[in-house]
Amino acid sequence: KVATTSQDTGIIEATDTSFWFGFTDDVVIRIRPSDGGGSILDIRSVSCHGRSDVGVNAKRIRKFRDTFTD
């Protein structure tokens, strides 16, 4: 669920909620131009509850990244 977006800063802030337990994770994506052309994506996904996410946040970032790479 997208919370905020800013074209000026290139930042998208969102939350993702797990299906089974309803745990919420914060997701932030920053898009900025690359010196060589193209764009650079900075992605952060962090659990709001508990100490371990059992790899869910890393999996989410890889899935998002893979959508934009060959």
Side-chain angles (χ1 to χ4, degrees):
K1 180 178 176 183
V2 175
T4 62
T5 63
S6 171
Q7 284 187 317
D8 293 334
T9 61
I11 294 178
I12 302 166
E13 296 182 25
T15 58
D16 192 13
T17 305
S18 69
F19 176 76
W20 290 107
F21 298 107
F23 294 140
T24 303
D25 296 340
D26 287 334
V27 181
V28 178
I29 302 164
R30 181 176 64 166
I31 307 165
R32 55 192 171 101
S34 170
D35 291 338
S39 299
I40 298 172
L41 293 177
D42 296 316
I43 307 168
R44 178 181 62 88
S45 182
V46 64
S47 299
C48 295
H49 306 282
R51 299 181 125 194
S52 174
D53 67 354
V54 196
V56 171
N57 287 302
K59 182 178 178 181
R60 178 181 297 118
I61 289 171
R62 281 192 298 273
K63 184 177 178 181
F64 188 86
R65 178 201 61 199
D66 292 347
T67 337
F68 293 99
T69 57
D70 295 328

